[in-house]
Amino acid sequence: MRTPILPSLLLLVAPANSLPQLAPPVAPPENPITAEKVMLGKILFWDEQLSATKTVACGTCHMPSAGFADPRVKLQPAAYPGADRIAGTEDDVFGSPSLPSVGTDYLYNTHVVFGIGVQSTRRNSPTVLNAAYAPHLFLDGRAEGAFHDPATGALISASGAALETQSIEPLLSHMEMSESGRTINDLTLSMRVMVPLIDAEAIPQDMSQFIGTGRYPALFERTFGTDDVTGVRIAQALATYMRTLVVTDVPFDRFLAGDSTALTSLERQGHDLFHGAAGCSACHSGPLLTDFDFHNIGVDPLIDDTGREQTTNDLADWGKWKTPGLRAVELTGPYFHDGSIATLEGVVDFYNQGGVHAAPNLAAEIVPLGLSTAEKAALVAFLKRPLTDPRLVQEVAPFDRPRLFAESSRAPLTFGQATAGTGGIEPEMVLVEGARRSFTITIGVDRGLGGAPAGLLSSTSFHPASVPFQGAALYVPYGAGTRLDRTVLQGSGTGKGFASIRYDMSHFAGAVVGTRLYFQWLVYDPTSQGRLSASKPALALLY
Ligand code: HEC
Ligand code: HEC
């Protein structure tokens, strides 16, 4: 037997400070970590086909380069306007765009905030890095350690399986990935015929090797011994992949291990403030920099989302949110459950002024701190390099991934100008799905005149400069060679009309891959300038 190396390792752990070092995450006994499960989980995490529109994967909102939070959020205005439904106000949430509200018939339902367009999550996407360590997940902690079979309700794991519990929810949420009313059995049935990652590009080699020529049942067989695709197995594979998404070797860890050169003097000063005068470690404690508990720190006016209270129904939990771990926090902005603060400098200012909203249960530590400019800079420095794993930014293994359909040139886009209807409101083209020849996709129009007749023009040719037609700027030629799908808008009133149709892409079966397809909605609108209003045209590549 070999001499255990533990004693010499322990010697290395000279106490630079009192924090213990981070051990690898523990999996529940019912779901041991295997290489196959990691690989299957990774494939599932990145497969957009698991969403009703085939355009949203887990990874869409959890991207490595953004520290497994959502990079898109930084580039656009708040996607969810909050309870007041007015953009640009205090209760806005920088949520993640997902998919339109898809009905059981795959037509799009209208939503009071999003219309038939792409919806947004009502919370800012948090990181999934180191989620493997959390006893409860989601920002209100509603995913607990006991995991039940989503199909039968049978108890699968009694504890330690918050990741398994959590991973089912987005798959069945019509705000995130599913059509309304989808059950886990609907999903698993549809997955039996899927070619994994069919629409992804630049698939890492180990993933494409594992897929080979198999469909999902073959991959489940290799992973679990039989080819059943079940909700439990999906959750277990996703959870296992996420147990590998850990940041455990950053300068802060080397510092904890006793390497006093691991931090620069500024970072060290920030570390000492964090664990000292600034009082951060009252909540951001231990090697993960979280107590996994819930606190009201005065982030928002709380007229909409009340956090932990939504799970416990205990008024004492009003406005409390889970303390996030801070590893890789440099990459995961914007910050807080509503994404209301864009930068770490802003977060430190927030704490320095003692929060922004008073509350009866505001945490006692949230008071003005009186930090100097230099001290604030030191705190920010500690939150950046010492906690960041550079492999994330570069998206290299284990943080590598395929390129998603939604990031590809095959994702449809709109261009040109719309022609406004009554009230100056422009009808909106809603086209998110890919133009794969074998698909039937949904194409919608929003914000037209309620009750008005409308038509979708589709063609392989278009007028680059648009031509006037009955008062509308027409990009897709009207007449021979163009298909016209007629419908009548639902809803009533100016700008309140919407419709969607199912469009069978086999219409273009004769065209070669890469053919450009053009779509444009015309809405009859007799009181507008001409007789027609029109959406912007959309372009999709046939594949
Ligand atoms: C449309 C964006 C979106 C998609 C798609 C999505 N998530 Fe999330 N994820 C979020 C948001 C927003 C939250 C916070 C939700 C809450 O607290 O109520 C979250 C929370 C989580 C958490 C909990 C993190 C924590 O610290 O508590 C994990 C883990 C997670 N998601 C994994 C997944 C997995 C696995 C999938 C795919 C099955 C997925 N997500 C799909 C946006 C998304
Ligand atoms: C009373 C407990 C508490 C104290 C003290 C505290 N925090 Fe927090 N921290 C939280 C909670 C809870 C959140 C999540 C709030 C939310 O989502 O709205 C948070 C969020 C953050 C975030 C945003 C992370 C993310 O992913 O969005 C950063 C950064 C942060 N804290 C840093 C600090 C620093 C620096 C200090 C000291 C100046 C500090 N915290 C003090 C509880 C605390």
Side-chain angles (χ1 to χ4, degrees), residues 127-478:
T127 181
V128 302
L129 285 169
N130 293 353
Y133 292 96
H136 30 226
L137 289 165
F138 291 128
L139 306 184
D140 52 19
R142 69 184 177 281
E144 301 274 357
F147 171 54
H148 297 265
D149 184 331
T152 66
L155 183 69
I156 304 295
S157 291
S159 66
L163 273 178
E164 282 84 344
T165 307
Q166 171 282 322
S167 59
I168 294 296
E169 196 175 304
L171 295 172
L172 301 184
S173 159
H174 83 285
M175 302 282 298
E176 287 180 76
M177 296 175 79
S178 93
E179 68 276 13
S180 56
R182 181 201 260 186
T183 66
I184 193 70
N185 291 337
D186 297 333
L187 176 64
T188 53
L189 196 65
S190 70
M191 285 173 64
R192 292 200 63 84
V193 293
M194 271 180 206
V195 177
L197 294 178
I198 191 168
D199 282 337
E201 296 169 332
I203 302 173
Q205 210 192 351
D206 52 354
M207 293 172 85
S208 60
Q209 252 165 18
F210 188 76
I211 296 169
T213 55
R215 300 194 175 217
Y216 271 117
L219 270 48
F220 277 72
E221 173 152 30
R222 214 172 313 150
T223 306
F224 292 102
T226 64
D227 71 359
D228 301 321
V229 178
T230 68
V232 169
R233 289 174 169 189
I234 292 171
Q236 291 185 328
L238 282 168
T240 304
Y241 169 55
M242 290 190 281
R243 290 193 173 98
T244 68
L245 301 179
V246 292
V247 169
T248 55
D249 181 24
V250 289
F252 180 51
D253 294 295
R254 297 195 272 286
F255 177 74
L256 293 181
D259 177 357
S260 58
T261 65
L263 303 189
T264 67
S265 64
L266 184 68
E267 290 160 358
R268 176 66 200 259
Q269 190 199 342
H271 166 276
D272 293 350
L273 277 166
F274 189 95
H275 292 91
C280 313
S281 62
C283 306
H284 298 283
S285 55
L288 287 162
L289 304 174
T290 171
D291 56 3
F292 296 114
D293 207 347
F294 303 86
H295 308 273
N296 186 336
I297 62 167
V299 170
D300 79 10
L302 291 175
I303 46 181
D304 196 5
D305 189 352
T306 61
R308 181 67 174 157
E309 188 267 342
Q310 307 231 312
T311 293
T312 62
N313 290 319
D314 180 350
L315 284 181
D317 288 331
W318 195 267
K320 288 189 180 177
W321 298 93
K322 189 175 69 172
T323 310
L326 297 180
R327 287 167 178 258
V329 74
E330 173 180 13
L331 306 176
T332 63
Y335 301 102
F336 297 149
H337 69 276
D338 55 1
S340 57
I341 304 232
T343 62
L344 286 175
E345 287 77 4
V347 170
V348 169
D349 280 334
F350 166 94
Y351 283 110
N352 197 37
Q353 73 186 65
V356 294
H357 287 280
N361 62 347
L362 192 69
E365 295 84 359
I366 304 302
V367 290
L369 299 175
L371 299 172
S372 69
T373 306
E375 286 171 326
K376 289 194 288 183
L379 264 181
V380 170
F382 170 63
L383 293 172
K384 290 189 172 173
R385 192 196 69 104
L387 302 178
T388 306
D389 187 328
R391 293 174 304 175
L392 287 164
V393 184
Q394 295 150 14
E395 299 198 329
V396 295
F399 306 129
D400 55 344
R401 64 168 180 106
R403 188 160 60 244
L404 297 177
F405 165 79
E407 299 171 293
S408 77
S409 60
R410 289 167 293 142
L413 47 91
T414 53
F415 61 98
Q417 299 299 324
T419 306
T422 308
I425 301 175
E426 297 177 352
E428 217 171 85
M429 166 67 74
V430 180
L431 174 53
V432 298
E433 294 174 58
R436 174 181 285 277
R437 255 194 283 213
S438 56
F439 285 178
T440 298
I441 66 173
T442 303
I443 304 178
V445 58
D446 209 357
R447 295 168 63 81
L449 181 64
L456 176 72
L457 301 174
S458 52
S459 174
T460 53
S461 60
F462 84 119
H463 303 302
S466 88
V467 299
F469 176 74
Q470 314 261 7
L474 203 68
Y475 290 84
V476 181
Y478 195 98

